[in-house]
Amino acid sequence: MKIKLISPKMTLRPMDSEFKRAMSPSLALLVLGALTPVEHDVTMEDENVGKLNLDDLPDLVGISVNVDTSLRAYEISKHYRSQGIKVILGGIHVSANPNEALAFADAVCIGEAEEIWIQILSDVQTGDLKQKYYNARPTDLSLTPIPKWDLIDKSKYLYTNVVVTSRGCPFHCEFCYNSCEYVHHWFRNRPIKNALEEIRALGTRQVMFIDDNFIGNIGWTKEFLRQIRPLNLTWHAAVSANIVHYPGLLDEMKDAGCESLFIGFETINEASLKSAGKHQNNVKSYEKLIREIHARGIMINASLVFGFDGDDPAVFEKTLKWLVKNKIETMTAHILTPYPGTKIYQRLKSESRIVDIEPAHYNTSFAVFSPNKMTRQQLRRGYLKIYRDFYSIKNIIKRLPDDRSQRVPYLLFNFVYRKFGKIASRIAGFGLMDRLSKWARRLSYGIE
Ligand code: B12
Ligand code: SF4
């Protein structure tokens, strides 16, 4: 069979550049490619880095869908189905909202695909495609294959060194898709030897771990760190703020090559944290955590959310001061967004507070609900302003890391990716993305 896998074009927030779309290919589709038996002819097209060829006639089309790409995915699906081609949709948004998605496709995959993809392909071949595919148990992650990287043109992406070592998260914050009931979210790690094999196959010494929570099982993380140390990698990962209780783990991370950590601080407002059910975070220990991380020469990407029930318009100025004072190297901010299927969606819906249902607005840069202590306009304006202010030249200079070894990657990210990202990404174009990132790595860490 001819199988075509598609990643629909994502929406950009006002502060985003084409770098966002070219950041990395869909790992989900590369995994599906790897799961596909060799007798099939599998291809992948990513609308984020080029135009889709919609004139072809594959036997099966598979599309990976997030909430903000859902309308485009449904459009693409409609096009193929009008020609009698079978379309299956999967991914986070479809898994959380299978009935909605099924109205636009022949079949949907709810949750992980590893244990059901072969069955789906065989059902297409025998003309017996079911409407819903759902793996009743959490996937055994030893079955996750090495992604089929040769499906894509690597030159079009900034990062083709992304690795997942786990699925799920031990926590279930109200606003996160990990709060959805649809499928198994409990935390699982891959066998260490599989993750190591994947890293070696990448052929690079710089790796981005894109797990929800790299420290979901600290025993596993410690053993993994011990085993990657001899590889002399530099790497980046996302961890929960409870890492403050494990200073020894931070030492081991630095020894194993950690350069930066993405941390979901979410808010410096205690009442807001409580309202989000984020009990593992403690605002009082945030500054200690930052000191511990910086002391080890690791940079911080602070993830923040604005619009919690405890937030009023003063939250933006307070947070900006806090970020600058603590010399946070990079910030990723979001307007609280009730993704359909999450606990917060159910709550805000029951309170009749969801006022914008345009899926393309669910990319965390729109106030799609009525906030508690400010207007939607105040929330959006404050969010746009904190981005502008945080990445102003004055504040980039004020936040310059004390650790000299971090200054080059710091300046590259702040200026080339954020401040002048729109121009820089246009100059780089899609064909030069990998060269740009190799150049950045060489300048920052002396490796490719
Ligand atoms: C890497 C990543 C990114 C990368 C995306 C790179 C890319 N081209 O895909 C970047 C940094 C660019 C990014 C951007 C954004 N992201 Co993001 N991202 C992730 C992250 C951390 C990992 C995704 C991943 O690759 N997982 C590994 C793969 C193997 O697992 P998987 O996707 O679940 O796929 C499995 C199944 O779902 C299924 N499957 C998936 N697709 C398909 C398709 C078919 C046909 C089938 C059969 C099966 C199937 O099979 C796979 C194997 O089992 C997730 C968090 C997470 N844990 O999923 C957030 C996440 C997907 N992102 C999210 C968000 C909100 C965004 C942004 C809007 C953020 C922003 N404010 O700009 C943008 C928009 C992105 C977009 N529209 O696609 C949300 C999505 C919420 C939602 N309900 O849609 C998530 C869940 C994070 C979160 N906790 O909120 N992101
Ligand atoms: S700690 Fe992060 S990944 Fe885990 S449930 Fe909370 S927001 Fe989601």
Side-chain angles (χ1 to χ4, degrees), residues 168-179 211-213 239-242 262 264 266 276-278 280-281:
C169 178
F171 307 110
H172 300 98
C173 308
E174 186 194 30
F175 60 87
C176 180
Y177 86 102
N178 276 317
S179 73
D211 305 75
D212 281 352
N213 191 350
V239 297
S240 44
N242 61 331
F262 177 99
E266 321 302 8
K278 193 135 190 163
Q280 71 275 23
N281 284 28

